[in-house]
């Protein structure tokens, strides 16, 4: 099978390279995702607080800067002006004017959309900050960042603005009223809240892109590559897998349940993405080895993949075909198509 190479392949590789080059002191490649995001957050805090005359404590940081402060991977582009910070002006507020600042006019936000970061800096909440990137990122990139936003909200790993708190509560109450369930999964509440947020009646730049992206956003992934794997499988017609699935009744010695990056639980088919730290961290390697052996002993089929598995159009199609074959053997209709359908 030979498919034409996508025009975005070189573009995506540049972004991946630039992620580790954004911080003045980039985290080692062998660090996990969490450690890298923490390092970039600290670097962003230092840069914001170093603005002249303490202007950083008065500004409302937004877009990519806000997301970095809140430990969200933002996929910085190689051609972006380096060292510029993003700040916003909201209706009725003074313009965000300061050397080293890129201003965003954002008329759908209010003071209730603002949070106080632990460093004392003010930022827009995650949903407004993410939506501001819609005109600056591809659809795939917007989904990747949206996955991280949804996962962070579901884990309650960031302060919530008053507006977002009210939106989450209202969504949860409505979902509960529509079903007989006493407790709605927080992931469902978060994803539905994002979809309602992007469909609000006010117009804003990038609204159509946000609405399209929200159709694919899922909780459970903070990894660009894991999201790209999931999107590639969906584009090739496979049913949507669960993200970060906790496997029932199987745990490590510590009692922590086994999880799979992507999985179809009814078929017992899972996918594990191995970044660099999976190979260089001996403890991580042992845990992965133990988990995958026990899963296979319990009837699971586990695909272990790395960056090369999704590096080209042909590689993605070949991998999707292999997954579709195993799913079909286990009674799940895949709907595989050899040519990826655009998102």
């Amino acid at each position: 099978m030979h498919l034409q190479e996508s025009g975005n392949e070189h573009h995506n590789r540049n972004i991946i390279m630039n992620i580790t080059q954004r911080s003045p002191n980039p985290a080692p490649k062998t660090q996990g995702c969490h450690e890298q995001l923490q390092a970039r957050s600290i670097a962003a805090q230092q840069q914001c607080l170093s603005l002249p005359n303490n202007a950083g404590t008065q500004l409302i940081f937004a877009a990519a800067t806000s997301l970095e402060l809140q430990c969200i991977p933002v996929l910085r582009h190689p051609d972006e002006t380096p060292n510029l910070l993003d700040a916003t002006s909201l209706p009725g507020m003074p313009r965000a004017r300061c050397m080293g600042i890129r201003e965003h006019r954002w008329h759908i936000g209010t003071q209730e959309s603002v949070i106080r970061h632990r460093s004392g800096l003010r930022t827009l909440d995650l949903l407004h900050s993410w939506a501001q990137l819609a005109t600056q990122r591809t659809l795939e990139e917007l989904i990747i960042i949206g996955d991280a936003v949804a996962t962070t909200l579901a884990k309650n790993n960031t302060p919530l603005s008053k507006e977002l708190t009210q939106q989450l509560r209202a969504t949860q109450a409505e979902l509960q009223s529509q079903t007989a369930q006493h407790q709605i999964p927080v992931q469902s509440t978060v994803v539905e809240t994002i979809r309602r947020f992007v469909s609000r009646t006010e117009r804003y730049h990038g609204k159509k892109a946000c609405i399209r992206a929200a159709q694919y956003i899922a909780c459970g992934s903070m990894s660009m590559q894991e999201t790209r794997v999931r999107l590639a499988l969906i584009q090739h017609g496979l049913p949507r897998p669960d993200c970060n699935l906790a496997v029932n009744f199987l745990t490590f010695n510590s009692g922590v349940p086994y999880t799979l990056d992507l999985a179809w639980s009814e078929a017992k088919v899972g996918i594990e993405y191995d970044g660099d730290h999976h190979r260089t961290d001996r403890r991580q390697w042992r845990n992965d080895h133990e988990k995958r052996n026990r899963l296979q002993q319990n009837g699971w089929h586990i695909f272990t993949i790395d960056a090369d598995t999704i590096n080209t159009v042909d590689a993605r199609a070949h991998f999707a075909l292999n997954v579709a074959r195993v799913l079909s053997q286990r009674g799940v209709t895949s709907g595989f198509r050899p040519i990826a359908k655009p998102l």
Side-chain angles (χ1 to χ4, degrees):
M1 179 187 301
H2 179 75
L3 304 175
Q4 185 178 359
E5 185 77 359
S6 167
N8 287 330
E9 301 298 335
H10 179 71
H11 173 71
N12 286 337
R13 283 195 295 271
N14 282 341
I15 294 173
I16 295 169
M17 292 174 61
N18 191 255
I19 289 175
T20 58
Q21 296 169 358
R22 166 64 180 166
S23 169
N25 298 296
K29 289 185 179 180
T30 54
Q31 281 190 325
C33 176
H34 177 73
E35 290 79 9
Q36 292 186 42
L37 294 174
Q38 286 286 349
R40 290 181 203 122
S41 175
I42 292 171
Q45 290 177 42
Q46 293 172 344
Q47 190 178 354
C48 292
L49 291 170
S50 67
L51 288 171
N53 301 321
N54 296 319
T57 59
Q58 306 300 320
L59 294 168
I60 299 174
F61 292 99
T65 300
S66 170
L67 294 174
E68 283 188 328
L69 286 169
Q70 298 179 74
C71 293
I72 301 295
V74 297
L75 310 175
R76 290 281 186 172
H77 284 212
D79 57 353
E80 285 190 58
T81 305
N83 300 321
L84 269 185
L85 296 168
D86 298 290
T88 194
S89 55
L90 301 177
M93 298 182 188
R95 298 284 297 271
R97 297 181 184 275
C98 179
M99 185 173 293
I101 289 296
R102 175 172 42 219
E103 184 195 27
H104 298 259
R105 303 299 299 275
W106 193 243
H107 67 273
I108 70 169
T110 68
Q111 285 282 11
E112 292 194 344
S113 314
V114 178
I115 65 169
R116 180 73 68 172
H117 189 261
R118 61 179 177 272
S119 61
L121 299 167
R122 295 188 301 166
T123 80
L124 277 183
D125 67 32
L126 288 180
L127 293 193
H128 283 278
S129 301
W130 168 74
Q132 287 179 321
L133 292 180
T135 59
Q136 306 167 26
R137 299 297 187 270
T138 67
L139 182 60
E140 181 186 74
E141 292 162 8
L142 201 58
I143 296 167
I144 289 169
I145 300 170
D147 272 7
V149 167
T151 301
T152 299
L153 290 174
K155 291 182 177 180
N156 196 25
N157 281 350
T158 190
L160 299 179
S161 66
K162 290 183 180 179
E163 177 188 327
L164 185 49
T165 299
Q166 293 169 356
Q167 290 172 338
L168 288 167
R169 288 175 178 171
T171 301
Q172 185 179 49
E174 186 169 339
L175 291 178
Q176 285 178 332
S177 69
Q178 295 172 353
T179 69
Q181 298 181 36
H182 294 293
Q183 186 171 359
I184 301 295
V186 64
Q187 295 88 344
S188 301
T189 298
V190 167
V191 170
E192 180 60 23
T193 298
I194 293 174
R195 290 175 180 170
R196 294 182 181 193
F197 171 82
V198 301
S199 300
R200 57 195 299 169
T201 56
E202 304 101 316
R203 293 184 179 182
Y204 56 91
H205 293 300
K207 180 176 180 177
K208 289 183 179 179
C210 287
I211 292 173
R212 289 179 62 194
Q215 298 175 38
Y216 297 98
I217 288 175
C219 289
S221 176
M222 294 291 291
S223 163
M224 174 182 71
Q225 295 293 63
E226 288 176 18
T227 298
R228 291 185 69 212
V229 172
R230 178 170 58 85
L231 294 178
L233 295 173
I234 292 172
Q235 288 179 279
H236 281 284
L238 275 66
R240 297 190 183 196
D242 292 321
C243 298
N244 197 34
L245 176 77
V247 181
N248 291 333
F249 311 118
L250 290 177
T251 66
F252 292 103
N253 292 334
S254 63
V256 175
Y258 290 165
T259 60
L260 288 164
D261 295 333
L262 300 169
W264 296 265
S265 56
E266 69 277 17
K268 286 193 170 182
V269 175
I271 298 172
E272 288 277 87
Y273 181 87
D274 281 358
D276 288 337
H277 72 287
H278 286 264
R279 295 184 293 273
T280 57
D281 185 322
R282 187 167 183 81
R283 182 178 179 182
Q284 180 74 55
W285 183 87
R286 286 177 176 173
N287 286 341
D288 290 342
H289 187 69
E290 171 199 329
K291 177 177 73 172
R292 291 162 189 173
N293 279 344
R294 285 199 63 197
L295 285 168
Q296 289 169 354
Q297 291 167 6
N298 281 269
W300 281 82
H301 185 109
I302 305 298
F303 290 91
T304 302
I305 64 174
D306 57 23
D308 289 339
T309 309
I310 56 171
N311 200 35
T312 66
V313 169
D314 284 344
R316 290 192 288 273
H318 181 70
F319 174 61
L321 175 61
N322 288 337
V323 176
R325 183 183 295 116
V326 173
L327 287 174
S328 295
Q329 291 170 350
R330 293 179 172 230
V332 176
T333 302
S334 70
F336 172 77
R337 48 178 171 259
I339 306 297
K341 181 180 179 181
L343 295 172

